[in-house]
Amino acid sequence: MRELALHVLDLLQNALEAGATHITLTITEDLAGDRMTIRVGDNGRGMSPDLVARVLDPFVTTRETRHVGLGLPLLAAAAERAGGHVEVESELGRGTTVTATFRLRHWDRAPLGDMPSTLMAVLLSGRAVDLVYEHTVDGRTFRLDTAEVRRELAGVPLAHPSVRTWLQEYVAEGISGLQRPID
């Protein structure tokens, strides 16, 4: 995939397919440590220890519509190309957490990409899910918690055209406010 946001979208879709009602997405960029970490955690149905041990194999999937699962193996390959790795932790009935690390300045690290559109795809999916997105760059943090947004909206749906536009702009501005040029 050309950008990491597409891997994040795949992880978020996996969480939705697993029945998650709460998802956390944390992105941490540590310029001094030359490290980027992407973590997606959910409260979905989780996986057995046997499945967790095999989940990075492209010929292992829980989906019944196809016999390959390329999302996690492609993410692992992208992380390894950029001097990092992927860890998967899961417990049946409690959820799953996927953590991918990358060397931030590695020449093979894909750009983060269009995170606002990635988040909007999940938020407008029609699924009953709350998402906490926290993006930190060298100690400066942008945070979005859809449960808080929903409380403020008092019943107005996230898919309402005005809310959708505001959310897209809010996330884009929040992320762009964190960015500094990477050496």
Side-chain angles (χ1 to χ4, degrees):
M1 293 186 206
R2 292 183 205 208
E3 60 183 51
L4 298 176
L6 296 174
H7 289 290
V8 171
L9 180 60
D10 183 64
L11 293 172
L12 295 173
Q13 288 174 327
N14 287 349
L16 292 174
E17 292 300 319
T21 57
H22 184 81
I23 302 171
T24 58
L25 166 58
T26 306
I27 299 174
T28 305
E29 298 178 54
D30 176 7
L31 294 164
D34 192 28
R35 184 72 49 207
M36 173 187 272
T37 304
I38 299 172
R39 178 174 289 122
V40 176
D42 68 59
N43 68 344
R45 69 178 151 270
M47 295 181 277
S48 69
D50 177 58
L51 183 55
V52 171
R54 299 177 306 125
V55 76
L56 297 179
D57 180 337
F59 297 104
V60 171
T61 184
T62 59
R63 294 187 182 176
E64 297 177 7
T65 57
R66 63 179 190 239
H67 300 288
V68 294
L70 295 177
L72 283 171
L74 287 175
L75 174 62
E80 289 168 10
R81 273 193 313 275
H85 63 280
V86 169
E87 295 176 9
V88 180
E89 301 172 36
S90 190
E91 187 177 336
L92 277 172
R94 299 196 55 117
T96 301
T97 300
V98 176
T99 305
T101 60
F102 305 82
R103 275 194 38 224
L104 190 58
R105 291 182 184 87
H106 197 284
W107 54 85
D108 282 333
R109 184 185 60 82
L112 185 55
D114 188 358
M115 284 306 300
S117 292
T118 295
L119 296 174
M120 294 306 291
V122 173
L123 298 179
L124 301 178
S125 69
R127 305 280 182 100
V129 64
D130 280 317
L131 174 71
V132 175
Y133 171 64
E134 193 168 279
H135 191 150
T136 302
V137 178
D138 280 344
R140 296 180 332 267
T141 300
F142 168 73
R143 186 173 193 275
L144 170 71
D145 182 340
T146 60
E148 292 174 3
V149 171
R150 282 189 173 95
R151 276 192 296 278
E152 290 295 319
L153 292 173
V156 177
L158 297 179
H160 184 281
S162 297
V163 174
R164 183 176 56 226
T165 300
W166 174 81
L167 269 173
Q168 180 93 20
E169 291 172 356
Y170 178 70
V171 172
E173 289 173 14
I175 293 170
S176 69
L178 296 173
Q179 300 309 312
R180 287 187 194 158
I182 296 175
D183 302 333

